[in-house]
Amino acid sequence: MRIAVTGGAGYIGSHTCTLLLAAGHDVLIIDNFNNSKSDVLDRIEKVAGVRPRINQTDITQADALSAVFSDYRPDAVLHFAGLKAVGEAVENPLEYYRVNVGGSVSLFQAMENVGCNKIVFSSSATVYGDPDQVPIVENHPLRPTNPYGQSKRYVEKILEDWGQANSNLAAVNLRYFNPFGAHPTALLGENPQGIPNNLMPYVAQVATGQAAELLVFGDDYDTPDGTGVRDYIHVMDLAAAHLKALDLTVRKAGVKAINVGTGNGYSVMQMINAFKRASNREIPYRVVDRRPGDIAECVADPSFAFELLGWKSELGLERMCADAWSYQNSLK
Ligand code: NAD
Ligand code: WQD
């Protein structure tokens, strides 16, 4: 198939592109390199043996995007492009809605113009907000607590509405839990610019000595050791879920939301210890107050993904930490 991959130069998109190319798909990455670098294309090529096409377009530029679609005429779209920092979204909600919602609408319009009706969208477990119970099932109420999460919810809703109007639309909203890890070759991984927002990239920087200590945000949650519990998923497992979701769009029209997690929850302390084992380094930490807006626990019920896609996670915590550590060392 001819697959347009928005945000394909980013962390999750680049890993997914390696699998798409290896499966024989023709891949066009559409990325403005706002949060990635063009050398990722060489790395994808090294891993997959094939170089993806690239078009450096901003998804919010509707006319330019439509021109790319008229030229490439994709069979399907994987839509990763967007902004993803929760704190930044709280400070600048309009920019998050402009890029994440406005950019998505431009994209859907460009798809409609060329009769492309298959899409897999990068949603997030953040659409659930503070869950009533864990593990979380897809029909749990959606109550995102910040503009980033709202932007994901709105895009899901726009796809639902588009699906009501167009019975040929096949859309899969993949609700990722907490992606972590790197490509086993250490050629691809997550290399955030500046101070990392998320726990594990920060832990990796403490392990190398780039950051002095980790701040643990609260140890008084109602969890076994008091620290926050999350469902960390290996980025290669997540990438594999996209190929299964793409298969579903070929088999069936309709709009579906699917959790992509492992079903296993680990606390901040468990993650620190797992990374200590993988890196054989000390991870100094200090417990501080809770981070505003954080929740105690967020763990997927991944059974719908297995039922509908035949997908389940295969790579465990040790592998996530080992691959992330190899990648971190490769950056030196
Ligand atoms: P990332 O920042 O590494 O990748 C996003 C890519 O999109 C980058 O290459 C960036 O340059 C590109 N981009 C941003 N704005 C663009 C624009 N206007 N036009 C074209 N390209 C643009 O992020 P990621 O971690 O790979 O996340 C991919 C998607 O998954 C995002 O939509 C994110 O919201 C979602 N998601 C991520 C996580 C996570 O923890 N990483 C969790 C849940 C959902
Ligand atoms: C995990 C745990 C923190 C940093 C966020 C977004 C979510 C999704 C994934 C995109 C929590 C604790 C963290 C630190 C810490 N992104 N922590 N010290 O909050 O589950 O989800 O990223 O969709 O939308 O909200 O992930 O990695 O930030 O935090 O103690 O320096 O680690 O309190 O318990 P989170 P995270």
mmCIF file of all heavy atoms in Angstrom, residues 193-225:
data_model
loop_
_atom_site.group_PDB
_atom_site.id
_atom_site.type_symbol
_atom_site.label_atom_id
_atom_site.label_comp_id
_atom_site.label_asym_id
_atom_site.label_seq_id
_atom_site.Cartn_x
_atom_site.Cartn_y
_atom_site.Cartn_z
ATOM 1 N N GLN A 193 14.391 17.015 23.274
ATOM 2 C CA GLN A 193 15.181 18.247 23.342
ATOM 3 C C GLN A 193 14.921 18.899 24.701
ATOM 4 O O GLN A 193 13.786 18.951 25.136
ATOM 5 C CB GLN A 193 14.752 19.192 22.216
ATOM 6 C CG GLN A 193 15.052 18.620 20.835
ATOM 7 C CD GLN A 193 14.297 19.336 19.718
ATOM 8 O OE1 GLN A 193 13.727 20.397 19.924
ATOM 9 N NE2 GLN A 193 14.306 18.739 18.537
ATOM 10 N N GLY A 194 15.969 19.361 25.364
ATOM 11 C CA GLY A 194 15.808 20.023 26.663
ATOM 12 C C GLY A 194 15.520 19.027 27.767
ATOM 13 O O GLY A 194 15.829 17.836 27.651
ATOM 14 N N ILE A 195 14.880 19.527 28.820
ATOM 15 C CA ILE A 195 14.600 18.660 29.974
ATOM 16 C C ILE A 195 13.414 17.761 29.637
ATOM 17 O O ILE A 195 12.358 18.254 29.246
ATOM 18 C CB ILE A 195 14.286 19.519 31.223
ATOM 19 C CG1 ILE A 195 15.499 20.393 31.554
ATOM 20 C CG2 ILE A 195 13.914 18.654 32.414
ATOM 21 C CD1 ILE A 195 15.202 21.504 32.542
ATOM 22 N N PRO A 196 13.576 16.425 29.786
ATOM 23 C CA PRO A 196 12.467 15.533 29.417
ATOM 24 C C PRO A 196 11.227 15.765 30.287
ATOM 25 O O PRO A 196 11.355 16.030 31.487
ATOM 26 C CB PRO A 196 13.027 14.130 29.677
ATOM 27 C CG PRO A 196 14.507 14.286 29.776
ATOM 28 C CD PRO A 196 14.762 15.683 30.238
ATOM 29 N N ASN A 197 10.059 15.655 29.679
ATOM 30 C CA ASN A 197 8.807 15.803 30.426
ATOM 31 C C ASN A 197 8.407 14.504 31.100
ATOM 32 O O ASN A 197 7.721 14.507 32.111
ATOM 33 C CB ASN A 197 7.666 16.184 29.474
ATOM 34 C CG ASN A 197 7.884 17.546 28.866
ATOM 35 O OD1 ASN A 197 8.060 18.516 29.596
ATOM 36 N ND2 ASN A 197 7.885 17.626 27.547
ATOM 37 N N ASN A 198 8.811 13.399 30.481
ATOM 38 C CA ASN A 198 8.319 12.098 30.950
ATOM 39 C C ASN A 198 9.342 11.398 31.844
ATOM 40 O O ASN A 198 10.540 11.679 31.779
ATOM 41 C CB ASN A 198 7.975 11.199 29.756
ATOM 42 C CG ASN A 198 6.790 11.749 28.982
ATOM 43 O OD1 ASN A 198 6.925 12.148 27.833
ATOM 44 N ND2 ASN A 198 5.638 11.806 29.611
ATOM 45 N N LEU A 199 8.824 10.492 32.646
ATOM 46 C CA LEU A 199 9.654 9.816 33.646
ATOM 47 C C LEU A 199 10.876 9.118 33.037
ATOM 48 O O LEU A 199 12.010 9.378 33.451
ATOM 49 C CB LEU A 199 8.793 8.781 34.400
ATOM 50 C CG LEU A 199 9.577 7.894 35.368
ATOM 51 C CD1 LEU A 199 10.078 8.706 36.554
ATOM 52 C CD2 LEU A 199 8.711 6.735 35.857
ATOM 53 N N MET A 200 10.666 8.211 32.079
ATOM 54 C CA MET A 200 11.751 7.319 31.701
ATOM 55 C C MET A 200 12.890 7.992 30.923
ATOM 56 O O MET A 200 14.050 7.686 31.188
ATOM 57 C CB MET A 200 11.203 6.077 30.989
ATOM 58 C CG MET A 200 10.368 5.200 31.916
ATOM 59 S SD MET A 200 11.103 4.925 33.564
ATOM 60 C CE MET A 200 12.501 3.886 33.170
ATOM 61 N N PRO A 201 12.603 8.931 30.026
ATOM 62 C CA PRO A 201 13.728 9.646 29.413
ATOM 63 C C PRO A 201 14.552 10.396 30.472
ATOM 64 O O PRO A 201 15.768 10.499 30.365
ATOM 65 C CB PRO A 201 13.051 10.626 28.447
ATOM 66 C CG PRO A 201 11.726 10.020 28.165
ATOM 67 C CD PRO A 201 11.327 9.282 29.403
ATOM 68 N N TYR A 202 13.877 10.857 31.516
ATOM 69 C CA TYR A 202 14.589 11.549 32.596
ATOM 70 C C TYR A 202 15.468 10.551 33.363
ATOM 71 O O TYR A 202 16.650 10.829 33.637
ATOM 72 C CB TYR A 202 13.597 12.239 33.538
ATOM 73 C CG TYR A 202 14.261 13.365 34.299
ATOM 74 C CD1 TYR A 202 14.168 14.673 33.849
ATOM 75 C CD2 TYR A 202 15.019 13.115 35.437
ATOM 76 C CE1 TYR A 202 14.821 15.702 34.512
ATOM 77 C CE2 TYR A 202 15.674 14.127 36.104
ATOM 78 C CZ TYR A 202 15.568 15.426 35.637
ATOM 79 O OH TYR A 202 16.217 16.446 36.288
ATOM 80 N N VAL A 203 14.891 9.395 33.685
ATOM 81 C CA VAL A 203 15.658 8.356 34.397
ATOM 82 C C VAL A 203 16.901 7.995 33.589
ATOM 83 O O VAL A 203 18.001 7.870 34.144
ATOM 84 C CB VAL A 203 14.767 7.109 34.645
ATOM 85 C CG1 VAL A 203 15.591 5.912 35.088
ATOM 86 C CG2 VAL A 203 13.691 7.418 35.683
ATOM 87 N N ALA A 204 16.743 7.868 32.278
ATOM 88 C CA ALA A 204 17.889 7.510 31.420
ATOM 89 C C ALA A 204 18.972 8.578 31.509
ATOM 90 O O ALA A 204 20.165 8.263 31.550
ATOM 91 C CB ALA A 204 17.422 7.321 29.983
ATOM 92 N N GLN A 205 18.574 9.839 31.583
ATOM 93 C CA GLN A 205 19.578 10.920 31.675
ATOM 94 C C GLN A 205 20.258 10.944 33.046
ATOM 95 O O GLN A 205 21.424 11.304 33.152
ATOM 96 C CB GLN A 205 18.926 12.279 31.381
ATOM 97 C CG GLN A 205 18.507 12.400 29.918
ATOM 98 C CD GLN A 205 18.266 13.844 29.492
ATOM 99 O OE1 GLN A 205 18.443 14.773 30.261
ATOM 100 N NE2 GLN A 205 17.853 14.012 28.243
ATOM 101 N N VAL A 206 19.525 10.543 34.079
ATOM 102 C CA VAL A 206 20.150 10.467 35.412
ATOM 103 C C VAL A 206 21.173 9.316 35.411
ATOM 104 O O VAL A 206 22.276 9.441 35.946
ATOM 105 C CB VAL A 206 19.090 10.271 36.523
ATOM 106 C CG1 VAL A 206 19.751 10.046 37.880
ATOM 107 C CG2 VAL A 206 18.162 11.478 36.598
ATOM 108 N N ALA A 207 20.824 8.220 34.752
ATOM 109 C CA ALA A 207 21.737 7.067 34.710
ATOM 110 C C ALA A 207 23.060 7.422 34.032
ATOM 111 O O ALA A 207 24.113 6.937 34.432
ATOM 112 C CB ALA A 207 21.066 5.886 34.001
ATOM 113 N N THR A 208 23.015 8.286 33.021
ATOM 114 C CA THR A 208 24.267 8.655 32.330
ATOM 115 C C THR A 208 24.995 9.789 33.052
ATOM 116 O O THR A 208 26.109 10.119 32.680
ATOM 117 C CB THR A 208 24.003 9.162 30.893
ATOM 118 O OG1 THR A 208 23.153 10.303 30.967
ATOM 119 C CG2 THR A 208 23.399 8.104 30.006
ATOM 120 N N GLY A 209 24.350 10.415 34.034
ATOM 121 C CA GLY A 209 24.971 11.533 34.729
ATOM 122 C C GLY A 209 24.651 12.887 34.106
ATOM 123 O O GLY A 209 25.088 13.915 34.601
ATOM 124 N N GLN A 210 23.875 12.891 33.013
ATOM 125 C CA GLN A 210 23.486 14.176 32.397
ATOM 126 C C GLN A 210 22.601 14.990 33.329
ATOM 127 O O GLN A 210 22.564 16.206 33.263
ATOM 128 C CB GLN A 210 22.677 13.932 31.115
ATOM 129 C CG GLN A 210 23.498 13.573 29.905
ATOM 130 C CD GLN A 210 22.587 13.006 28.846
ATOM 131 O OE1 GLN A 210 22.297 11.806 28.847
ATOM 132 N NE2 GLN A 210 22.109 13.864 27.952
ATOM 133 N N ALA A 211 21.797 14.293 34.131
ATOM 134 C CA ALA A 211 20.971 14.965 35.144
ATOM 135 C C ALA A 211 21.391 14.394 36.496
ATOM 136 O O ALA A 211 21.727 13.199 36.595
ATOM 137 C CB ALA A 211 19.492 14.706 34.879
ATOM 138 N N ALA A 212 21.399 15.248 37.523
ATOM 139 C CA ALA A 212 21.964 14.830 38.810
ATOM 140 C C ALA A 212 21.076 13.851 39.564
ATOM 141 O O ALA A 212 21.556 12.871 40.137
ATOM 142 C CB ALA A 212 22.229 16.069 39.656
ATOM 143 N N GLU A 213 19.781 14.137 39.595
ATOM 144 C CA GLU A 213 18.881 13.271 40.365
ATOM 145 C C GLU A 213 17.479 13.335 39.774
ATOM 146 O O GLU A 213 17.113 14.303 39.097
ATOM 147 C CB GLU A 213 18.848 13.680 41.838
ATOM 148 C CG GLU A 213 18.288 15.085 42.038
ATOM 149 C CD GLU A 213 18.121 15.478 43.500
ATOM 150 O OE1 GLU A 213 18.402 14.687 44.399
ATOM 151 O OE2 GLU A 213 17.668 16.625 43.728
ATOM 152 N N LEU A 214 16.732 12.280 40.049
ATOM 153 C CA LEU A 214 15.331 12.250 39.619
ATOM 154 C C LEU A 214 14.470 12.795 40.752
ATOM 155 O O LEU A 214 14.696 12.456 41.926
ATOM 156 C CB LEU A 214 14.925 10.801 39.317
ATOM 157 C CG LEU A 214 13.435 10.607 39.031
ATOM 158 C CD1 LEU A 214 13.099 11.104 37.628
ATOM 159 C CD2 LEU A 214 13.026 9.155 39.180
ATOM 160 N N LEU A 215 13.485 13.610 40.399
ATOM 161 C CA LEU A 215 12.500 14.007 41.397
ATOM 162 C C LEU A 215 11.310 13.070 41.263
ATOM 163 O O LEU A 215 10.728 12.960 40.175
ATOM 164 C CB LEU A 215 12.072 15.462 41.171
ATOM 165 C CG LEU A 215 13.192 16.507 41.245
ATOM 166 C CD1 LEU A 215 12.641 17.919 41.018
ATOM 167 C CD2 LEU A 215 13.945 16.432 42.586
ATOM 168 N N VAL A 216 10.987 12.376 42.325
ATOM 169 C CA VAL A 216 9.833 11.466 42.314
ATOM 170 C C VAL A 216 8.635 12.280 42.793
ATOM 171 O O VAL A 216 8.623 12.773 43.930
ATOM 172 C CB VAL A 216 10.067 10.236 43.223
ATOM 173 C CG1 VAL A 216 8.812 9.389 43.318
ATOM 174 C CG2 VAL A 216 11.244 9.412 42.716
ATOM 175 N N PHE A 217 7.637 12.383 41.909
ATOM 176 C CA PHE A 217 6.503 13.269 42.203
ATOM 177 C C PHE A 217 5.459 12.574 43.084
ATOM 178 O O PHE A 217 4.446 12.102 42.586
ATOM 179 C CB PHE A 217 5.859 13.748 40.901
ATOM 180 C CG PHE A 217 6.772 14.572 40.024
ATOM 181 C CD1 PHE A 217 6.707 14.466 38.639
ATOM 182 C CD2 PHE A 217 7.689 15.469 40.564
ATOM 183 C CE1 PHE A 217 7.531 15.227 37.820
ATOM 184 C CE2 PHE A 217 8.524 16.238 39.758
ATOM 185 C CZ PHE A 217 8.449 16.113 38.384
ATOM 186 N N GLY A 218 5.730 12.527 44.370
ATOM 187 C CA GLY A 218 4.746 12.016 45.328
ATOM 188 C C GLY A 218 4.928 10.538 45.633
ATOM 189 O O GLY A 218 5.126 9.733 44.723
ATOM 190 N N ASP A 219 4.879 10.210 46.960
ATOM 191 C CA ASP A 219 4.904 8.786 47.344
ATOM 192 C C ASP A 219 3.766 8.484 48.309
ATOM 193 O O ASP A 219 3.845 7.604 49.135
ATOM 194 C CB ASP A 219 6.271 8.391 47.930
ATOM 195 C CG ASP A 219 6.579 9.102 49.245
ATOM 196 O OD1 ASP A 219 5.802 10.015 49.637
ATOM 197 O OD2 ASP A 219 7.575 8.739 49.883
ATOM 198 N N ASP A 220 2.689 9.319 48.161
ATOM 199 C CA ASP A 220 1.532 9.121 49.035
ATOM 200 C C ASP A 220 0.271 8.799 48.253
ATOM 201 O O ASP A 220 -0.851 9.083 48.693
ATOM 202 C CB ASP A 220 1.327 10.370 49.914
ATOM 203 C CG ASP A 220 1.146 11.643 49.093
ATOM 204 O OD1 ASP A 220 1.334 11.586 47.845
ATOM 205 O OD2 ASP A 220 0.819 12.690 49.682
ATOM 206 N N TYR A 221 0.445 8.218 47.059
ATOM 207 C CA TYR A 221 -0.730 7.773 46.284
ATOM 208 C C TYR A 221 -1.236 6.453 46.847
ATOM 209 O O TYR A 221 -0.501 5.720 47.530
ATOM 210 C CB TYR A 221 -0.347 7.570 44.806
ATOM 211 C CG TYR A 221 -0.190 8.861 44.040
ATOM 212 C CD1 TYR A 221 1.082 9.347 43.719
ATOM 213 C CD2 TYR A 221 -1.303 9.587 43.632
ATOM 214 C CE1 TYR A 221 1.232 10.530 43.008
ATOM 215 C CE2 TYR A 221 -1.153 10.771 42.920
ATOM 216 C CZ TYR A 221 0.106 11.239 42.613
ATOM 217 O OH TYR A 221 0.241 12.406 41.909
ATOM 218 N N ASP A 222 -2.480 6.131 46.534
ATOM 219 C CA ASP A 222 -3.058 4.870 46.974
ATOM 220 C C ASP A 222 -2.614 3.745 46.011
ATOM 221 O O ASP A 222 -3.391 3.224 45.225
ATOM 222 C CB ASP A 222 -4.595 5.008 46.996
ATOM 223 C CG ASP A 222 -5.249 3.769 47.563
ATOM 224 O OD1 ASP A 222 -4.534 2.952 48.177
ATOM 225 O OD2 ASP A 222 -6.474 3.621 47.376
ATOM 226 N N THR A 223 -1.314 3.461 46.069
ATOM 227 C CA THR A 223 -0.717 2.404 45.230
ATOM 228 C C THR A 223 0.185 1.590 46.156
ATOM 229 O O THR A 223 0.489 2.049 47.261
ATOM 230 C CB THR A 223 0.144 3.012 44.102
ATOM 231 O OG1 THR A 223 1.186 3.802 44.705
ATOM 232 C CG2 THR A 223 -0.670 3.884 43.158
ATOM 233 N N PRO A 224 0.635 0.391 45.747
ATOM 234 C CA PRO A 224 1.408 -0.461 46.673
ATOM 235 C C PRO A 224 2.596 0.233 47.330
ATOM 236 O O PRO A 224 2.805 0.077 48.524
ATOM 237 C CB PRO A 224 1.846 -1.621 45.778
ATOM 238 C CG PRO A 224 0.757 -1.724 44.749
ATOM 239 C CD PRO A 224 0.305 -0.312 44.496
ATOM 240 N N ASP A 225 3.382 1.041 46.602
ATOM 241 C CA ASP A 225 4.508 1.720 47.270
ATOM 242 C C ASP A 225 4.311 3.238 47.365
ATOM 243 O O ASP A 225 5.237 3.969 47.710
ATOM 244 C CB ASP A 225 5.848 1.368 46.601
ATOM 245 C CG ASP A 225 5.963 1.883 45.170
ATOM 246 O OD1 ASP A 225 5.196 2.801 44.794
ATOM 247 O OD2 ASP A 225 6.820 1.393 44.424
#
